[in-house]
Amino acid sequence: SKRRINMIAVLACAYVLSHFGDRQGAPTQLREYTPRVFLCGYSYHELARALFDVPGQVMTRGMTYRSDDICIHGLYGGCRTDLAQFPGQVIHFNGEAAVPQASIIRAQDLYLGSHAEHFNGITLFGVAINLIRYPDDVRRKLLGPRRSVRHAKFGIYASRNCVPFRERAFDDLVDTGLAPVAGGSCHGKHPELKVDFPGRTQYGNNWSSFKGYRFVLAMENTAKRGQLSEKILHAFAANAIPIYYGSPDVFKVFNRKAFIFYDIRNPKPATDHLARLEANPLQYAKMQREPVFAPGAVDQYLSLWHNGRMTHRILNTLGARRRKFAIDVVVPWSGKSSAKSPHATDASRDRNNGEIVYLLRSIALHAPWVRTVWILVNGEVELPESPASIDVRMVNRCTIMPPGT
């Protein structure tokens, strides 16, 4: 009867999903969850490697995507793909202080960056990406015990963006009798203090140009919450003491005893501290040996590496949302039987009007969030034509249902 046929179909669907999908929604008996990773906007290859052990592929026009793909979207980097139509999950990473529009972040996606509380996301500062960009030996020195070395030169100010308060800070250091030099395009009122500066040949390698200086003027271009860039980390990587101004979030991540906070509204405590360190090498050495990071900050904010707490937190959150939105479709279909099938000469069963092709196209067009389409067939059946954007699997129902059903 029609009711009996419908019941069999429902039981078959339930069996397929329970047999081929584990409790986390991944079909473990067929394949492990190893997504393709794409990059849009700013290309955070390091984040792709840290999370998925692949560098990621930059999105280009004409690509097709599947429901188990991942896109890492570097916000404010000019992504030209409509990510609202991306069938997989999107990781939106915001390394800036700005708050993005909530409408771009779907329920199944994950937001990383500042202001994470607005998006049910995870706080991840831009400095975490810079930490994993460093060579292994530099990263180990930052994470481990520090040694004191009194470098020959006082300090350097290197910037291409001449923000007024940074310019005034440089002038203030000069006017108080200290001896900084200017290594970038900016030099305050003192062009005579410019020195040859190699700058960066690629993003993130400024730190090597700071070697040999006791202090580095490492000031953000804004004090807004969430703006915690590579500047202070570059100073530490060169084994210098940073003179920092910027987001109050700095105290969550970095050890306040290891750097000098330069308050642009009241700079005298900072300049007095600098004068004392210059006059007392033992005090300078003690400060230089202080740990770079605040207690617990590495695990909580920076551990983007294998078995790191931050890595696990991101992957677990992403997996939970993937499981919540992991929807499969099961289609019972007689199909066009092969010559080996006992039904190969049954015209009533083999007649193919193309309905399965149109069904798969419809799923790809109107339900791109579907993870996998399972087609239950009777024996050996040719795989139908299907769009590249959906994952189609054939299952011989004779292998999973009792004989005679």
Side-chain angles (χ1 to χ4, degrees), residues 96-111:
E96 306 293 335
V99 182
Q101 293 182 349
S103 59
I104 69 171
I105 301 169
R106 306 170 302 179
Q108 69 267 38
D109 297 339
L110 178 60
Y111 174 85

Side-chain angles (χ1 to χ4, degrees), residues 110-113 115-123 313 317 321:
L110 178 60
Y111 174 85
L112 306 176
H115 313 287
E117 67 278 5
H118 297 306
F119 309 103
N120 192 23
I122 296 174
T123 298
R313 186 181 176 195
T317 305
R321 295 182 187 179

